[in-house]
Amino acid sequence: MSDDKTRTNTTFHATVPGVARIGANRELKRAVEAYWAGRIDAAALTQTADGIRRDSWNQLVQAGFDSVPVNTFSYYDQMLDTAVLLGALPPRVAGIAHPLDRYFAAARGTDEVAPLEMTKWFDTNYHYLVPEIGPDTSFAVDATAVLNELAQARALGVPARPVVIGPITFLALSKAVGGAQAPLSRIDDLLPLYVELLAQLAEGGAQWVQFDEPTLVTDQAEGLAELAERVYTELSAASARPRLLVQTYFGEAGDRLAALGRTAVDAVGVDLVAGTADSVVAADLADKLVVAGVVDGRNVWRTDLDRALDALTALRPHVGSLAVSTSCSTLHVPYTLRGESQLDAALAGWLAFADEKFAEVATLSRALVHGRDDQAGQFEAARLALATRATDPRLHVAAVHDRLDALEPADWTRTTASARRPLQDAALNLPVLPTTTIGSYPQTSAIRQARHALRTGSIDACKYRNRIQREIADVIELQEKAGLDVLVHGEPERNDMVQYFAEQLDGFFATANGWVQSYGSRCVRPPILFGDVARPTPMTVGWTTYAQSLTSRPVKGMLTGPVTILAWSFVRDDQPAAVTARQVALAIRDETVDLERAGVPIIQVDEPALRELLPLRAADRDAYLDWAITSFRIATGGVADATQVHTHLCYSEFGEVIGAIAALDADVTSIEAARSHMEILDDLNEAGFANQVGPGVYDIHSPRVPSTDEIADSLREALQAVSAERLWINPDCGLKTRRTDEVTAALRRMVAAAVLVREEAAALAG
Ligand SMILES: Nc1nc2c(c(=O)[nH]1)N[C@@H](CNc1ccc(C(=O)N[C@@H](CCC(=O)N[C@@H](CCC(=O)N[C@@H](CCC(=O)O)C(=O)O)C(=O)O)C(=O)O)cc1)CN2
Ligand SMILES: [Zn+2]
C-alpha cells in the first residue's frame, strides 16, 4: 500500500497534456452565451462548469490514467486565465467589480472598453487572447481558479496535476503596450510569482504540476535554449514545490530539450508526432520522466499502435522513465466518435477522436508495461483498420491525378495587376474608396433552425431554398440601404465557410457532432479530408446569381481558398499537404470559372488561414509558402483579366508574410486591421504591396458598434499609408457572429465615414 502510494507520487504512466472543455454537447457554449444574454446567473454558469470538469476527469480516470490534468478548463481562454493568475489584466477593465464580468470584458469588450486582441494559438485554428504588458504592469499571483480546480479534483479522488502556461510562453505570446519593452524582458519579474505559485499548489496538495512551454518548439525568440535552462534551473530550485513537468508540443524542442535536461525539473513532455525521438535521445534525460506524446492530439487518424509501441520501446533505455500521452491537448479534436452514425463504416474505423485517443494511450501504456500480447486484440484491430485505409480506392483516383499532372505555370499566372486594373475599373465603375463587406451577414437562429429542420426532414429542400432566398433578399436590401458599393449575398446557406464546401466535395466527410472550440464560445466542426478531392457540381453559383438578380450593384462571389480549407479540416496524413492543396485548388478553380460564366464580376477567395499554417520553424517556411501561394494561384488563375479577384485574411500577425500575401496577386486584399489597432498599415505601403487593399476599419468580433468618427479616424490613418486609388473600405472580417441591429448600425456608420473622408480627399485634391 505505502509502496504503491510512493510510486504514484513519483512517476506516472498514462496521461494527456490537456483536454477540451466546451462539453461533449457544447454545454459550456450554451451556458456562457446564456450568461452573456442575462438568461442565467453566475451560480448556474459555475455549476455547468463544475459538471464539465467532473465528467472529463472521471472519464480520464476510467480510461486508466494515473495522472489527470486539471486547470485546463476555461470559461473563455487559457492565456486570459493565465493573465488573471498573474495579475496582468489590462487596467481598463480593473473597474469592473465582478471577477467573471471583468474577465469577459477583457475577452469580448463592452460598450466602454475594448477587448484584448485575439490571435492564433501557434499553427492551430484555436484563438487565444493576447495579454497586454505595459510599462506599469505589476504582476501579482491570484491562484484562486487553479486552487479551486485542484480542490474540486482532489475531493473527487482524482490524481490531479494542475496545468499552467509557463512563464516563457506566457511572455512570448503577450504584447508590449504603452511603449513597454518586449514582454520577455520581464521574465525575472515573473519567476518569483511562479515560485510562489508552486508553493501554493504544493500547499493545496498537488503532487505534480505541469508548465506548458510550446514556445520552446518555435523560432519566436532568440536564445530560447539558454532562457529555458535559466528559467527552469531557478524554478526547479524552489524550496516547496510539487514535481515539475515542463510540457512542449506542436514540434520538436531540439536544443531546448537538452537545456531542460540540464535542469532539476522532474519531467519533460514531448510531441513525438510533430517531432522525432532523436532529439529526446540526444538530450540527456536519464534522470527524467519523459511524457511521450505518441498519439496525435490534433489530427483524427487512428494510431498505428505497432509503430507507436516500437518508438516507445526504443526510447525507454534513454530516459529515466516513460509515460504515454497524446502529442498535445485534445482541445483540438472532437470529443468522441460515438454518435457519428452517418460516417461510413470503413472511415469510422480509421479514426480516433479524444475518447478513442484516451483508450489508445491506455493501451500503449499497458503494452509498455505488460507486453504487446497483453493488448493483442487492440493491436490487431488497429492493424486491420489501417490496412483497409491504405487500399481504399477513394484515396487514389486516377482522374484527379491526371489533372494534377497536367498543371503547368501558365495555369497559375495571370497578366500583371496593372494590366488587369483598367479592364476591371471599366467593368465595375466604382467610386474612389469603394465600400464592401467580407461576405457573411448575421447567422440568425432562424437560419440555423431552417438548416436544422432540413436536416431532420421537417422541411424539404424547396422550402429551405425559399427561406435562404428570403434571407439573401433581406441582406441585399440592408446593403443597398446602407449605401455599400460592392454587395455580397451574405452566406446564409453556409453552416461554416469550410464545412459548407467540404459537404459538396468528393474526398471529404463531415461530422454530425465533431465540435472543436475555435475561440470563446465559438466552435467549428472541421471536416475530414480523407481522399482525393474533386468538385462534382457547382457549389455557390445559384445563390450568388440569385443575389445578383436582385440588384444593379455588383455582387461579389464568395469562396474559401485551398490553404484555408486544408487548415480548417483534418487532413489525410498519407501524402504531402502540397499535393492535397493542389487538388482542393482545382476544385475551387472549377467554381470560379462557373461563377464567371454566370456573369459574376468579382470573386473573393478567402485565405484567412494563410498565416496560421506558417511553420513554427523558420527553416520550413519557404517550402510552405511556395505551395500555399501556388495553390491559391491555381484556384484563382482560371478567370479572365476583367474579373476582379479578391482575397481576405484575418486574425493573425501578417507582417511576417506580407510578401507572400502580395505574391497571391489578388486584385484586392481585405485584411483584418482594426482589432490590432491598424498596425498592419506599415506593411501596406506601395513598396511592399502594389495592389488594392482594404485594411479593416472596425472590429467585428466585439458587439461594440464603433462611432462614425472612430471609423473615419481609422480611414484617415489608412490613407497615410495607402493612396486613395488603392484603398477599399470594409470591416475586419465577416459579420456572421453579430446581430442584425449591430450590423445595420455599424455599416451605416462605415458608409457615412467613407462619404466624409471622400469629401475631405476631394477637397484636398480640388
Ligand atoms: N472553420 C472555421 N474556422 C474559423 C472561422 C470560420 O468561420 N470557420 N473563422 C475564424 C474565427 N472562428 C470562428 C469559428 C466559429 C464561428 C461560429 O460562428 N461558429 C458557430 C457554429 C457554426 C455552425 O457550424 N453552425 C451550424 C450548426 C449550428 C447549430 O449549433 N445548430 C443547432 C441547431 C440550430 C439552432 O437551433 O440554432 C444544433 O446543432 O444544436 C449551422 O449553422 O448549420 C457557433 O459556434 O455557434 C465563428 C468564427 C477563424 N477560424
Ligand atoms: Zn475573416
Side-chain angles (χ1 to χ4, degrees):
M1 165 74 205
S2 75
D3 246 26
D4 260 19
K5 187 145 194 277
T6 323
R7 200 162 50 240
T8 52
N9 286 349
T10 55
T11 191
F12 54 83
H13 304 87
T15 194
V16 277
V19 294
R21 62 258 175 149
I22 201 75
N25 293 299
R26 293 182 295 159
E27 292 83 354
L28 185 63
K29 169 195 175 65
R30 292 182 221 284
V32 163
E33 289 178 355
Y35 177 75
W36 292 338
R39 290 196 305 271
I40 65 168
D41 63 9
L45 176 56
T46 314
Q47 201 180 353
T48 300
D50 285 348
I52 289 171
R53 289 196 290 257
R54 195 186 49 235
D55 291 352
S56 75
W57 297 334
N58 282 339
Q59 193 192 7
L60 296 179
V61 169
Q62 274 157 24
F65 289 9
D66 51 359
S67 182
V68 169
V70 305
N71 198 45
T72 63
F73 177 82
S74 181
Y75 283 109
Y76 202 100
D77 167 56
Q78 67 269 14
M79 276 293 283
L80 181 57
D81 297 351
T82 314
V84 172
L85 169 74
L86 299 171
L89 282 187
R92 63 181 177 276
V93 302
I96 302 170
H98 194 289
L100 204 51
D101 294 337
R102 194 185 317 138
Y103 177 88
F104 286 135
R108 316 171 63 224
T110 66
D111 284 342
E112 287 79 36
V113 302
L116 293 176
E117 274 179 44
M118 193 162 71
T119 198
K120 297 282 164 125
W121 177 244
F122 300 90
D123 54 355
T124 75
N125 190 15
Y126 177 78
H127 309 57
Y128 71 94
L129 288 157
V130 184
E132 294 173 2
I133 313 291
D136 302 326
T137 303
S138 60
F139 301 109
V141 182
D142 172 5
T144 318
V146 55
L147 288 171
N148 282 347
E149 277 204 30
L150 177 60
Q152 188 198 355
R154 293 192 67 224
L156 294 165
V158 173
R161 183 182 80 245
V163 177
V164 172
I165 292 175
I168 299 175
T169 298
F170 177 75
L171 289 176
L173 298 188
S174 293
K175 168 178 178 157
V177 296
Q181 300 285 306
L184 261 180
S185 68
R186 300 286 304 271
I187 190 85
D188 289 318
D189 296 341
L190 266 195
L191 294 185
L193 278 81
Y194 275 82
V195 168
E196 185 184 336
L197 173 67
L198 286 168
Q200 291 192 24
L201 292 172
E203 176 74 25
Q207 303 290 328
W208 279 92
V209 60
Q210 170 182 325
F211 287 166
D212 278 6
E213 291 287 16
T215 289
L216 297 184
V217 311
T218 72
D219 289 335
Q220 272 169 358
E222 303 278 308
L224 280 172
E226 296 73 19
L227 186 63
E229 185 164 351
R230 186 162 75 76
V231 163
Y232 284 97
T233 298
E234 190 160 334
L235 294 182
S236 58
S239 57
R241 66 165 173 89
R243 288 172 185 278
L244 179 55
L245 160 63
V246 179
Q247 178 71 47
T248 66
Y249 42 84
F250 300 150
E252 188 150 282
D255 60 342
R256 295 79 187 263
L257 200 58
L260 291 173
R262 292 189 290 273
T263 72
V265 303
D266 303 277
V268 291
V270 292
D271 178 337
L272 293 180
V273 176
T276 67
D278 296 348
S279 63
V280 183
V281 173
D284 180 6
L285 302 173
D287 66 340
K288 308 266 182 266
L289 166 66
V290 169
V291 179
V294 288
V295 169
D296 197 338
R298 53 184 290 193
N299 208 337
V300 294
W301 305 108
R302 189 171 185 155
T303 305
D304 182 340
L305 292 178
D306 287 306
R307 219 175 76 183
L309 186 61
D310 291 346
L312 291 165
T313 311
L315 199 53
R316 185 153 50 179
H318 300 279
V319 301
S321 55
L322 200 55
V324 184
S325 181
T326 52
S327 59
C328 59
S329 168
T330 59
L331 179 67
H332 311 285
V333 293
Y335 272 77
T336 178
L337 274 168
R338 257 174 297 125
E340 295 292 340
S341 47
Q342 83 302 343
L343 289 179
D344 90 36
L347 182 77
W350 308 339
L351 300 177
F353 292 174
D355 272 7
E356 294 77 24
K357 288 174 190 295
F358 301 152
E360 291 179 332
V361 167
T363 297
L364 287 165
S365 124
R366 290 185 192 115
L368 196 59
V369 176
H370 303 294
R372 199 172 315 231
D373 290 349
D374 181 71
Q375 301 290 313
Q378 306 294 337
F379 276 75
E380 190 50 31
R383 264 171 230 142
L384 276 175
L386 293 177
T388 68
R389 185 176 162 207
T391 54
D392 192 291
R394 291 169 294 182
L395 275 63
H396 310 280
V397 177
V400 174
H401 286 271
D402 291 347
R403 253 191 111 186
L404 283 189
D405 292 343
L407 274 172
E408 39 186 88
D411 293 322
W412 64 80
T413 315
R414 299 179 83 199
T415 53
T416 62
S418 50
R420 302 191 300 262
R421 176 91 197 245
L423 302 175
Q424 295 168 13
D425 285 352
L428 295 169
N429 194 24
L430 296 169
V432 64
L433 304 177
T435 54
T436 191
T437 49
I438 306 302
S440 60
Y441 275 71
Q443 278 277 334
T444 60
S445 71
I447 298 174
R448 285 199 286 260
Q449 269 157 22
R451 199 146 37 244
H452 188 76
L454 174 69
R455 205 167 54 237
T456 52
S458 62
I459 62 170
D460 63 14
C462 178
K463 204 159 196 168
Y464 178 71
R465 191 177 62 238
N466 287 338
R467 288 203 190 169
I468 296 293
Q469 286 188 339
R470 214 181 318 138
E471 197 64 41
I472 291 174
D474 287 349
V475 164
I476 292 289
E477 189 187 323
L478 186 161
Q479 294 172 87
E480 287 197 321
K481 282 198 174 140
L484 288 153
D485 301 307
V486 170
L487 311 195
V488 295
H489 78 289
E491 306 178 27
E493 78 287 9
R494 302 187 189 175
N495 43 19
D496 173 77
M497 61 184 286
V498 166
Q499 187 175 358
Y500 174 77
F501 292 98
E503 283 171 356
Q504 302 180 70
L505 292 170
D506 290 345
F508 283 89
F509 266 110
T511 69
N513 198 38
W515 293 101
V516 175
Q517 186 179 19
S518 182
Y519 69 89
S521 70
R522 295 285 169 175
C523 301
V524 295
R525 279 175 293 180
I528 300 168
L529 196 177
F530 73 95
D532 281 345
V533 175
R535 186 205 68 150
T537 50
M539 304 181 283
T540 65
V541 176
W543 304 121
T544 314
T545 51
Y546 176 70
Q548 185 66 84
S549 76
L550 302 173
T551 178
S552 57
R553 302 187 188 197
V555 171
K556 175 165 73 164
M558 196 59 56
L559 304 173
T560 303
V563 179
T564 299
I565 289 183
L566 253 67
W568 296 350
S569 300
F570 294 117
V571 176
R572 60 192 295 182
D573 55 359
D574 60 344
Q575 73 184 14
V579 175
T580 310
R582 284 190 176 209
Q583 295 184 2
V584 177
L586 282 173
I588 300 301
R589 181 185 177 101
D590 291 346
E591 190 71 14
T592 62
V593 169
D594 282 344
L595 280 170
E596 180 181 73
R597 200 173 289 153
V600 177
I602 307 179
I603 302 171
Q604 178 171 311
V605 177
D606 293 324
E607 285 292 20
L610 181 79
R611 170 66 181 74
E612 168 184 329
L613 282 196
L614 186 73
L616 300 175
R617 294 292 196 161
D620 304 328
R621 291 189 183 158
D622 285 348
Y624 160 71
L625 289 173
D626 184 57
W627 71 250
I629 293 165
T630 306
S631 60
F632 179 88
R633 293 176 62 143
I634 291 171
T636 53
V639 294
D641 294 344
T643 297
Q644 191 169 66
V645 172
H646 289 215
T647 190
H648 162 71
L649 300 100
C650 55
Y651 287 94
S652 297
E653 301 283 338
F654 287 107
E656 252 182 316
V657 293
I658 204 77
I661 298 173
L664 298 177
D665 195 31
D667 297 297
V668 181
T669 301
S670 65
I671 188 161
E672 179 247 304
R675 177 121 180 197
S676 36
H677 318 290
M678 309 300 276
E679 283 161 8
I680 188 72
L681 288 176
D682 296 341
D683 299 305
L684 296 181
N685 57 37
E686 200 93 23
F689 209 93
N691 295 3
Q692 301 171 72
V693 284
V697 293
Y698 85 88
D699 171 21
I700 55 81
H701 275 77
S702 167
R704 188 173 161 273
V705 176
S707 68
T708 304
D709 282 347
E710 242 176 296
I711 301 176
D713 279 344
S714 294
L715 270 171
R716 293 183 194 110
E717 207 183 329
L719 278 168
Q720 302 291 312
V722 180
S723 65
E725 304 74 61
R726 288 202 301 127
L727 189 65
W728 283 63
I729 300 177
N730 46 258
D732 265 357
C733 186
L735 303 167
K736 66 185 169 195
T737 60
R738 299 273 58 87
R739 288 196 322 249
T740 304
D741 58 321
E742 294 162 353
V743 164
T744 309
L747 291 179
R748 290 197 174 154
R749 291 181 191 177
M750 188 181 86
V751 173
V755 169
L756 202 71
V757 174
R758 271 178 203 150
E759 282 165 3
E760 288 170 9
L764 266 179

